[in-house]
């Protein structure tokens, strides 16, 4: 077989890809590599449940309300537990925090702690579960700040996104995909259910130069600031804006982000004045905005809260919310321009 043929037929599993990345760093100990495997395994377990949701009576509500005041779906709980249990005993993680819990999730006393911090949203977009619409898991990995000899702390979890070591998401859609970055580009893998393996399907993802989509919940337009309303008009082709953008909004952040990552465009969930309790919009800084911002930058895009880079924001609380504009750099910078002009 010629080299060219061999290259053409080569199948790159996620294990092989992560190991190849590790080899680029001779100082790497393999701990991050194994942590990423653990997350990939969690993704497979969650995917096996989401695809059978309607059958296994998993679908539906538990009746409980989570810390965000939202109804907890059974699948949320299952995804949350899966990720925690696959990571609580490995000695790779110092502390975890999940969007489903008010406080940090310590490593149980009987297990050793490790050098990484794992923050995750186990099942984002879960209001879509009942409608068979794609949902996703989002994760962010940091290095701990606290001494290795101690248990992980809240401070370990409240780091600005620019400290992130790796981030990614698993999208449970028409196929299951894992997309991640360790700061060396963004790579996508599709789960082959027949062999139970994530295979590299989207190497080196970069956001295309010419944007195709814009995505926001226009039902809230009347609650947006003047700057965001004017920006929206710009995206619709007014004020010299692009005249050919198509509007797509799934209402499931991972799915909306994934589409715009591959096609080019902007997703925004701005601040609005619907609820005085939530003046900064709906999305969470540490669980949603920061990890996706890391991926956007790695793919040549950008994410902002309308005033500054999401990755520069120092979180002050685990469940802090932030406005989010994310995707093609030009379009996100345009949002900042409109917000500066009309809202400040
Ligand atoms: P969900 O409430 O279904 O979990 O962050 C939560 C989120 O979904 C995002 O995935 C999604 O982009 C957004 O909320 C949708 O909110 P709206 O229904 O207000 O548009």
């Amino acid at each position: 077989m010629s080299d060219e043929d061999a290259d053409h037929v080569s199948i790159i599993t996620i294990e092989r890809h992560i190991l190849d990345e590790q080899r680029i760093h001779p100082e790497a100990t393999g701990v991050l590599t194994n942590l990423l495997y653990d997350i990939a395994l969690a993704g497979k377990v969650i995917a096996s449940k989401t695809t059978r949701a309607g059958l296994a009576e998993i679908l539906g509500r538990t009746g409980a309300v989570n810390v965000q005041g939202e109804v907890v779906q059974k699948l949320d709980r299952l995804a949350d537990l899966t990720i925690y249990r696959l990571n609580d005993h490995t000695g790779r993680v110092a502390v975890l925090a999940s969007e489903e819990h008010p406080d940090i999730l310590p490593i149980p006393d009987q297990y050793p702690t490790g050098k990484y911090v794992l923050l995750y949203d186990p099942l984002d977009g879960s209001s879509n579960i009942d409608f068979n619409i794609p949902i996703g898991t989002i994760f962010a990995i940091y290095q701990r700040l606290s001494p290795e000899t101690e248990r992980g702390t809240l401070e370990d979890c409240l780091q600005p996104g620019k400290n992130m070591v790796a981030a990614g998401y698993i999208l449970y859609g028409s196929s299951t995909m894992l997309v991640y970055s360790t700061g060396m580009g963004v790579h996508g893998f599709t789960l082959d259910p027949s062999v139970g393996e994530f295979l590299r399907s989207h190497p080196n993802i970069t956001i295309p130069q010419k944007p195709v989509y814009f995505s926001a919940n226009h039902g809230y337009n009347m609650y947006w600031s003047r700057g965001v309303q004017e920006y929206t008009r710009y995206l619709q082709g007014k004020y010299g804006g692009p005249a050919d953008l198509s509007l797509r909004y799934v209402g499931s952040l991972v799915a909306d982000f994934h589409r715009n990552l591959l096609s080019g465009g902007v997703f925004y969930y701005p601040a609005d004045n619907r609820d005085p309790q939530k003046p900064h919009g709906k999305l969470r800084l540490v669980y949603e905005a920061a990890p996706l911002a890391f991926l956007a930058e790695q793919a040549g895009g950008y994410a902002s809260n309308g005033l500054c880079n999401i990755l520069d924001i120092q979180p002050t609380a685990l469940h802090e919310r932030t406005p989010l504009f994310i995707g093609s750099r030009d379009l996100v910078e345009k949002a900042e321009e409109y917000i500066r002009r009309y809202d400040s």
Side-chain angles (χ1 to χ4, degrees):
M1 202 183 291
S2 72
D3 279 359
E4 206 174 291
D5 287 344
D7 211 37
H8 186 67
V9 296
S10 71
I11 294 172
I12 311 281
T13 62
I14 193 159
E15 278 80 2
R16 178 170 162 190
H17 179 92
I18 295 173
L19 262 180
D20 285 349
E21 278 197 337
Q22 186 191 317
R23 283 196 198 101
I24 298 171
H25 293 282
E27 74 289 358
T29 57
V31 178
L32 179 63
T33 298
N34 284 308
L35 175 52
L36 290 167
Y37 292 166
D38 295 336
I39 293 169
L41 176 60
K44 288 184 209 173
V45 174
I46 298 167
S48 75
K49 305 293 181 203
T50 56
T51 48
R52 300 179 61 245
L55 297 171
E57 288 215 333
I58 292 166
L59 193 64
R61 299 188 171 85
T62 59
V65 168
N66 73 7
V67 66
Q68 313 291 345
E70 297 156 344
V71 176
V72 179
Q73 305 280 337
K74 282 184 186 168
L75 270 176
D76 294 48
R77 206 164 64 183
L78 205 137
D80 184 42
L81 265 180
T82 301
I83 297 172
Y84 181 70
R85 293 213 174 124
L86 283 172
N87 288 284
D88 68 350
H89 61 282
T90 59
R92 303 189 240 283
V93 178
V95 60
L96 299 89
S98 158
E99 197 229 311
E100 292 296 333
H101 297 267
D103 302 314
I104 58 170
L105 301 172
I107 299 295
D109 286 344
Q110 69 266 36
Y111 299 126
T113 59
K115 62 177 174 180
Y116 290 107
V117 177
L118 176 59
L119 308 177
Y120 63 96
D121 181 353
L123 220 47
D124 185 71
S126 53
S127 64
N128 289 310
I129 293 172
D130 285 351
F131 312 113
N132 210 352
I133 289 170
I135 44 186
T137 296
I138 308 176
F139 63 91
I141 299 172
Y142 293 84
Q143 228 146 24
R144 70 185 299 170
L145 301 171
S146 56
E148 290 227 14
T149 47
E150 292 169 18
R151 303 273 113 188
T153 63
L154 175 62
E155 198 200 0
D156 288 326
C157 299
L158 296 181
Q159 300 190 48
K162 63 184 176 204
N163 290 4
M164 216 176 295
V165 172
Y169 58 82
I170 303 152
L171 175 62
Y172 312 101
S174 46
S175 59
T176 299
M177 277 197 73
L178 190 153
V179 175
Y180 86 97
S181 175
T182 55
M184 289 189 288
V186 180
H187 308 284
F189 302 79
T190 302
L191 182 65
D192 181 341
S194 61
V195 293
E197 195 57 84
F198 280 108
L199 305 180
R200 193 170 72 188
S201 50
H202 297 67
N204 292 312
I205 298 171
T206 50
I207 301 180
Q209 278 299 314
K210 186 166 166 26
V212 179
Y213 298 115
F214 71 116
S215 317
N217 190 335
H218 287 253
Y220 307 144
N221 184 69
M222 64 185 285
Y223 303 106
W224 291 341
S225 67
R226 168 98 194 272
V228 175
Q229 288 174 343
E230 295 294 335
Y231 172 60
T232 302
R233 289 193 188 99
Y234 168 84
L235 294 174
Q236 290 165 333
K238 310 237 168 57
Y239 316 134
D244 52 358
L245 289 186
S246 181
L247 168 67
R248 294 281 162 87
Y249 185 72
V250 174
S252 192
L253 178 60
V254 177
D256 279 309
F257 176 78
H258 183 70
R259 183 197 53 244
N260 292 0
L261 179 73
L262 296 185
S263 299
V266 62
F267 169 95
Y268 53 110
Y269 203 113
D272 60 53
N273 59 19
R274 277 178 302 153
D275 179 354
Q277 304 294 321
K278 295 179 190 163
H280 303 299
K282 181 180 186 188
L283 303 180
R284 294 81 174 171
L285 176 59
V286 299
Y287 301 112
E288 298 173 307
L292 297 186
F294 183 83
L295 293 169
E297 281 211 359
Q298 283 293 316
Y302 175 50
S304 168
N305 66 357
L307 299 169
C308 70
N309 189 330
I310 288 284
L311 296 175
D312 287 337
I313 303 173
Q314 168 65 55
T316 55
L318 277 179
H319 295 278
E320 181 173 336
R321 295 175 194 265
T322 180
L324 177 65
F325 300 80
I326 189 166
S328 300
R329 177 168 281 277
D330 290 356
L331 293 183
V332 176
E333 284 175 350
K334 205 45 130 177
E336 290 179 329
E337 201 180 302
Y338 273 89
I339 287 167
R340 259 196 314 268
R341 188 180 320 156
Y342 290 103
D343 300 341
S344 49

